[in-house]
Amino acid sequence: MNKLTLQEVVQKMLKMEGQEKSTMVGIGPMSRTLIKASMKLAKEKDFPLMFIASRNQVDADELGGGYVCNWNQETFAQDIKEVAEEMNFDGLYYLCRDHGGPWQRDNERNAHLPEADAMELGKRSYLYDLVNGFDLLHIDPTKDPYVVGKVIDPDVNVRRTVELIEFVEGERKARHLPPVSYEVGTEETNGGLTSPENYQKFIEKLHTQLDKKGLPHPSFIVGNTGTLTRLTENVGHVDSTSCKELSAVAKKYGVGLKEHNGDYLDDAVLLEHPALGVTAMNVAPEFGTVETQAYLKLIEVEDRLVKQGLIKEASGLGQALREEAVNSGRWKKWMVDGKDKLTPKEIFQDEKLTLLITEISGHYTFNNERIKNEIRKLYDNLAVSGIDGEEYVIDKIADSIDHYVECFNLKGLTTRLQDVA
């Protein structure tokens, strides 16, 4: 089929009723292996893929690059295209910028860059997105280091959002590039988009300002429905009434409600999402954790085979993953109860905590040369005993994604989209 824009996809989804209703899932591209798993499943179950990359994960080399596969926008797009060809996947997939804009790289926020400097860097990042074929740009100027613990002034949020969309549209037209879809808003409580009243006021103000400048309306508007990911669970309290009310407001203005931080939610919560009218949900760290857990299970198998004399020497992946994950410090954002203050030395003294940190932040280390070398050794060792380690990892990730596919009624969505006028 001809590739629909995400704007077109959302408009078609807003028309669906009853058993046809679905909620799309935005997948954090934690590794090339995850891309393979996604496409394997999407090919089998006929649903569109959205790969949502944050600026820390994928960005221009001049802005610091990305920790996932050292991807910049160009290599990210190239690798996904290569995987699609390798998997013979000819369905719909979309490259999506997640949390683009000022202060969205950790170093920019930690440096407390002035607004003008941060906006300039955000624009440069969007330009790379644009010229490398990204389909959806999330415009999120709310991670302001000067407004911590308070709600961003909605007028400031609208002003920055319009300025960024105006910049992108100007560059897009100057380069004669095809239309791009937009996502606005944030799940952060400081974004203020937690109540139906504030959500509607934001949409009205934003649409008014966009219309004045002849700019396109967004496809998705993020709302805070109570999701919050910590460790390997969702510690938030998802409000079904809020989901229903926010999605109704969004639909009234011709946009889709997007949720973030959907990892680890209970099936009862996920299953009701299509009925509540939630158009899409982002899930990311969960899939990275699943991949790490799959490696840890294969390491366990490898150790058992060594004891049986079927493998001469085990890989060092287990030790490497633990050391690299803990020393990365990336786990701090997911921790609770003050454990983010612990030193690596203190963590290594607690075997249970070390394992937990490895599981939740192992995916940050997948591109380290040490880890890549040890994974290759692990796969080679297992292959001697007839075990396809990579296929096992791919299947475990696909199973995790399939959980959302089933709960969100995604099976067959690509075909259904063709049938909606």
Side-chain angles (χ1 to χ4, degrees):
M1 63 182 294
N2 292 329
K3 184 171 180 178
L4 299 168
T5 66
L6 272 171
Q7 172 70 2
E8 291 170 331
V9 169
V10 170
Q11 294 310 306
K12 287 174 176 283
M13 291 184 70
L14 292 176
K15 295 178 182 178
M16 292 179 176
E17 300 291 343
Q19 294 181 342
E20 298 296 303
K21 295 178 74 171
S22 300
T23 299
M24 293 182 72
V25 59
I27 299 171
M30 300 303 188
S31 68
R32 190 181 174 107
T33 305
L34 188 146
I35 303 298
K36 289 183 179 180
S38 304
M39 290 188 170
K40 178 180 180 179
L41 186 65
K43 183 178 179 180
E44 175 189 343
K45 300 220 167 173
D46 185 36
F47 66 93
L49 292 165
M50 291 193 301
F51 295 115
I52 52 161
S54 71
R55 287 189 58 204
N56 287 323
Q57 292 170 333
V58 176
D59 208 354
D61 293 336
E62 68 165 290
L63 300 176
Y67 73 77
V68 178
C69 300
N70 279 339
W71 276 330
N72 57 33
Q73 289 90 331
E74 181 180 7
T75 54
F76 177 58
Q78 286 176 346
D79 276 12
I80 291 184
K81 183 180 179 182
E82 286 178 8
V83 172
E85 292 171 351
E86 179 185 337
M87 306 295 291
N88 292 316
F89 178 71
D90 60 0
L92 294 173
Y93 72 82
Y94 298 94
L95 307 184
C96 307
R97 167 59 67 209
D98 185 35
H99 291 293
W103 301 295
Q104 290 294 346
R105 290 188 68 95
D106 291 343
N107 62 314
E108 293 175 9
R109 191 167 194 242
N110 293 338
H112 284 67
L113 290 182
E115 177 178 332
D117 294 346
M119 287 285 280
E120 177 59 29
L121 292 176
K123 289 175 181 177
R124 280 158 62 183
S125 178
Y126 282 134
L127 183 56
Y128 281 103
D129 295 344
L130 186 65
V131 299
N132 285 291
F134 274 53
D135 301 284
L136 178 76
L137 303 181
H138 181 191
I139 310 294
D140 182 7
T142 65
K143 207 165 187 177
D144 189 328
Y146 298 97
V147 186
V148 178
K150 297 183 291 184
V151 174
I152 291 277
D153 184 326
D155 291 333
V156 171
N157 190 358
V158 168
R159 172 179 59 77
R160 291 172 178 168
T161 299
V162 171
E163 180 181 337
L164 292 168
I165 292 177
E166 185 175 25
F167 167 80
V168 174
E169 283 297 297
E171 295 293 336
R172 181 185 69 79
K173 291 176 181 177
R175 288 168 169 74
H176 306 289
L177 296 171
V180 64
S181 302
Y182 294 97
E183 173 180 341
V184 302
T186 181
E187 82 284 2
E188 301 286 350
T189 53
N190 76 325
L193 303 184
T194 55
S195 70
E197 295 77 18
N198 287 340
Y199 192 69
Q200 179 164 329
K201 287 178 182 177
F202 173 77
I203 296 175
E204 289 177 345
K205 286 183 177 181
L206 178 63
H207 280 190
T208 296
Q209 294 304 313
L210 291 173
D211 290 343
K212 284 182 179 179
K213 294 178 176 288
L215 298 171
H217 290 182
S219 302
F220 296 108
I221 298 186
V222 183
N224 186 318
T225 60
T227 57
L228 181 62
T229 304
R230 289 292 182 268
L231 299 176
T232 55
E233 62 180 334
N234 205 299
V235 299
H237 301 282
V238 178
D239 187 335
S240 300
T241 300
S242 178
C243 287
K244 183 180 178 182
E245 291 177 344
L246 291 178
S247 64
V249 172
K251 184 174 182 178
K252 175 182 173 183
Y253 291 91
V255 298
L257 170 64
K258 186 102 166 306
E259 275 185 308
H260 286 209
N261 299 326
D263 312 71
Y264 310 115
L265 288 173
D266 185 81
D267 280 5
V269 175
L270 297 176
L271 282 162
E272 69 176 358
H273 267 55
L276 295 175
V278 179
T279 309
M281 172 190 277
N282 286 356
V283 181
E286 178 178 343
F287 301 138
T289 295
V290 167
E291 182 171 349
T292 301
Q293 290 171 335
Y295 291 129
L296 293 174
K297 185 58 66 177
L298 290 176
I299 291 165
E300 185 181 329
V301 174
E302 182 187 42
D303 288 342
R304 294 168 72 95
L305 293 174
V306 168
K307 289 177 182 177
Q308 296 303 317
L310 298 172
I311 292 175
K312 290 183 180 179
E313 182 181 1
S315 70
L317 182 58
Q319 181 177 351
L321 269 175
R322 286 168 169 78
E323 291 178 355
E324 296 289 328
V326 171
N327 289 325
S328 74
R330 294 278 193 166
W331 43 271
K332 295 178 183 292
K333 65 185 287 189
W334 308 112
M335 300 304 283
V336 294
D337 300 330
K339 290 188 173 65
D340 59 318
K341 307 298 182 185
L342 294 175
T343 65
K345 183 178 179 180
E346 291 171 324
I347 290 165
F348 287 130
Q349 292 172 352
D350 185 332
E351 187 174 340
K352 186 176 180 181
L353 181 58
T354 299
L355 176 59
L356 176 62
I357 286 176
T358 301
E359 290 182 340
I360 65 176
S361 59
H363 63 273
Y364 291 108
T365 74
F366 290 164
N367 197 56
N368 295 5
E369 284 303 317
R370 180 187 181 191
I371 299 298
K372 289 193 291 186
N373 289 335
E374 296 300 338
I375 288 175
R376 283 192 288 268
K377 291 179 186 177
L378 173 70
Y379 285 168
D380 289 344
N381 280 345
L382 295 173
V384 173
S385 296
I387 299 172
D388 190 331
E390 183 181 16
E391 192 64 25
Y392 173 80
V393 175
I394 287 173
D395 285 344
K396 295 302 286 187
I397 299 171
D399 286 346
S400 181
I401 299 170
D402 193 33
H403 171 230
Y404 292 91
V405 173
E406 293 300 320
C407 287
F408 286 167
N409 191 35
L410 280 172
K411 188 175 181 179
L413 177 58
T414 299
T415 296
R416 295 202 305 276
L417 289 169
Q418 297 179 71
D419 298 332
V420 178

